[in-house]
Amino acid sequence: MASSPPTATLTPRTWTRDNSPFFISNDPKLISVKAVNEAFGKDFLYWTKPFPEDVLHQMLHGSMSFGVYKRLQPEQTQTEPETLTTENTEQIGLARMITDGISFGYLSDTYVLPEYQGDGLGRWLIDCVAEVFSLESMPHLRRIMLLTSGQRLEEFYGQTLGVKVVGHEPRPDIGKDLVFMNAKPTAKPTARPALG
Ligand SMILES: CC(C)(COP(=O)(O)OP(=O)(O)OC[C@H]1O[C@@H](n2cnc3c(N)ncnc32)[C@H](O)[C@@H]1OP(=O)(O)O)[C@@H](O)C(=O)NCCC(=O)NCCS
């Protein structure tokens, strides 16, 4: 008889750093469809255009979306932690894992807004994704995939997610040579080998 699905890995998580207004979260309640759509309209996201808001809502909520957020109010010393909401945060980045939450993840729509780039937020974001998409938190994980462009990002994703290049897709329409990257998480010696 089928048991309940192992949804524990889908429990939303939030990552913070001392004295930083920035945090990462995969809590769907914090996603700002408006902020993401505004970013999708900018040239630096060369692979996409904005979507109708209800369509983008479905895309973001039908995936495991990791947001990079900035607290809008200075942190105060309180005994109770401040409750984070869309009202007191601004979404400044995204990494969207299209996933069944168990065995597979396709990483898409990764960005940090240009004014916040180059300060380590992108690496922190993908480190958080890697923490969730690991055999430790997803014991049945079989494969992670993504598309990217450029040597620097190939190396970055190799370091953070352990993915390797498995194919190329020349895209003259957007002036890019895209690469497919893929990782099969290494099974622990005690675990059954992943076959997918
Ligand atoms: C890629 C991106 C999310 C990284 O965010 P970030 O906050 O700037 O990242 P960090 O400061 O933590 O740097 C991490 C890595 O991002 C990449 N990166 C950062 N700035 C970059 C730039 N101007 N050009 C190319 N790669 C860059 C590098 O690989 C860097 O690692 P390195 O410094 O060891 O080479 C961000 O630069 C971005 O949104 N770029 C435009 C959209 C994009 O290309 N997204 C990736 C699609 S696959």
Side-chain angles (χ1 to χ4, degrees), residues 44-47 94 109-114 116-125 146-149 152-157 159:
F44 83 106
L45 296 191
Y46 57 85
W47 62 88
L94 174 73
D109 297 329
T110 300
Y111 73 86
V112 169
L113 289 180
Y116 299 102
Q117 288 176 12
D119 276 336
L121 289 173
R123 188 172 289 271
W124 185 22
L125 171 64
L146 60 89
L147 269 170
T148 192
S149 175
R152 213 173 147 192
L153 281 170
E154 267 181 53
E155 283 169 16
F156 168 63
Y157 286 120
Q159 289 160 8

Side-chain angles (χ1 to χ4, degrees), residues 36-37 39-51 56 59-60 93-96 98 106-114 117 125-126 146-150 153 157 169 171 173-176 178:
V36 172
N37 227 9
F40 276 18
K42 303 212 165 119
D43 287 347
F44 83 106
L45 296 191
Y46 57 85
W47 62 88
T48 190
K49 290 190 166 54
F51 287 82
L56 184 57
M59 286 166 62
L60 293 168
L94 174 73
R96 185 168 75 92
I98 302 160
Y106 175 78
L107 184 66
S108 184
D109 297 329
T110 300
Y111 73 86
V112 169
L113 289 180
Q117 288 176 12
L125 171 64
I126 302 304
L146 60 89
L147 269 170
T148 192
S149 175
L153 281 170
Y157 286 120
E169 185 183 80
R171 289 286 302 273
D173 56 321
I174 53 172
K176 299 274 179 191
L178 301 182

Side-chain angles (χ1 to χ4, degrees), residues 79-91:
T79 28
E80 291 295 315
E82 182 193 351
T83 308
L84 299 165
T85 68
T86 50
E87 300 300 312
N88 60 17
T89 61
E90 180 192 351
Q91 184 161 2

